[in-house]
Amino acid sequence: MTNSKLIAYLGPPGTYSQRAVTQYFGKTPSGHYEYVPLNTIADCFTAVQDGTAAYVVVPFSNSSNGPVKFTYDLLRTTEPRPSIIGETQVKVEHYILAAPATLQRIEQGGEDAVRTVYSHPQVWGQCTQYLTSHFSNAARISVDSTAYAATLAEKDENAVAIASIAAADVFHVEVYAAEVQDNQDNYTRFLVLERYVNGAERTELDQSVDMELVRWDRVTAA
Ligand SMILES: O=C(O)C(=O)C[C@]1(C(=O)O)C=C[C@@H](O)C=C1
């Protein structure tokens, strides 16, 4: 048990994880809880493990490209594994976001003006069709979250980010292209974790996640 009143998620504000948190706990959480953005999925696991956060919300799998590897690995290696007490699905619609100066450069010099595309590694496999016909000469740089990618694009007039439309409300970036994901029905499943209390019985959700981890181990071993 922890006395923490914090609910942590992968930040900064504007990530899909933030949407998952507000979808699950409400726009403003009840009971004096507060939302806190953390830098990495690993930080979320540490926060729930050491009691800094009462709950954390982490991405688990995506309908287009499967497991979120960081979360799978941490679920396997964190001892004792946090309890999985809830889940929520977020519709993931990706946007190409860029600083106003970058949009001007693209207008003048075409898409080759863009040298870098920033995003979370999970995103590349969700936008393969778009990325084969756009920005094919740009380097893809994987960063800790999509909203963090938007903060980098905000400061770099040779770069764009792939992120959620929510990131455009938080940072000074504008939309270059909307809904660039391959599959219009693109969903990410998020899990809500709480610190494991010694002796507590594993929930049904815990057991179903166990089965998915085993299934994925078999797929990768094959
Ligand atoms: O970077 C974010 O916005 C996240 O919340 C992470 C994350 C993920 O790890 O899968 C969540 C949903 C999308 O599939 C892309 C990225």
Side-chain angles (χ1 to χ4, degrees), residues 85-197:
I85 59 142
E87 65 178 317
T88 187
Q89 277 214 351
V90 169
K91 185 158 195 207
V92 171
E93 289 171 323
H94 293 304
Y95 286 70
I96 304 291
L97 303 178
T102 314
L103 295 185
Q104 247 174 26
R105 287 174 76 104
I106 299 175
E107 213 173 287
Q108 285 155 8
E111 290 183 343
D112 277 346
V114 171
R115 303 268 163 73
T116 312
V117 182
Y118 293 111
S119 201
H120 184 274
Q122 196 73 17
V123 170
W124 310 125
Q126 296 170 29
C127 304
T128 47
Q129 284 161 22
Y130 182 85
L131 288 172
T132 46
S133 44
H134 300 265
F135 310 115
S136 50
N137 294 325
R140 290 181 202 172
I141 307 278
S142 295
V143 296
D144 286 328
S145 74
T146 56
Y148 182 62
T151 70
L152 297 175
E154 183 181 34
K155 293 182 281 227
D156 182 347
E157 50 183 65
N158 297 311
V160 298
I162 306 181
S164 88
I165 188 67
D169 291 335
V170 182
F171 304 106
H172 193 47
V173 283
E174 288 173 9
V175 174
Y176 174 68
E179 298 184 21
V180 299
Q181 70 280 3
D182 296 338
N183 192 332
Q184 290 315 302
D185 285 325
N186 186 35
Y187 288 89
T188 296
R189 180 182 173 203
F190 290 80
L191 302 179
V192 184
L193 311 181
E194 184 181 30
R195 185 154 78 160
Y196 179 71
V197 179

Side-chain angles (χ1 to χ4, degrees), residues 7-8 17 20-25 45 48 54-60 71 75 82-89 189-195 203 205-206 209:
I7 301 171
S17 296
V21 164
T22 54
Q23 204 168 280
Y24 188 85
F25 288 100
F45 272 80
V48 80
Y55 304 103
V56 296
V57 177
V58 291
F60 179 61
T71 305
L75 284 171
S83 295
I84 301 162
I85 59 142
E87 65 178 317
T88 187
Q89 277 214 351
R189 180 182 173 203
F190 290 80
L191 302 179
V192 184
L193 311 181
E194 184 181 30
R195 185 154 78 160
T203 63
L205 198 49
D206 270 311
V209 166

Side-chain angles (χ1 to χ4, degrees), residues 10-31:
L10 175 65
T15 56
Y16 296 100
S17 296
Q18 184 191 33
R19 198 179 308 158
V21 164
T22 54
Q23 204 168 280
Y24 188 85
F25 288 100
K27 234 180 167 50
T28 316
S30 55

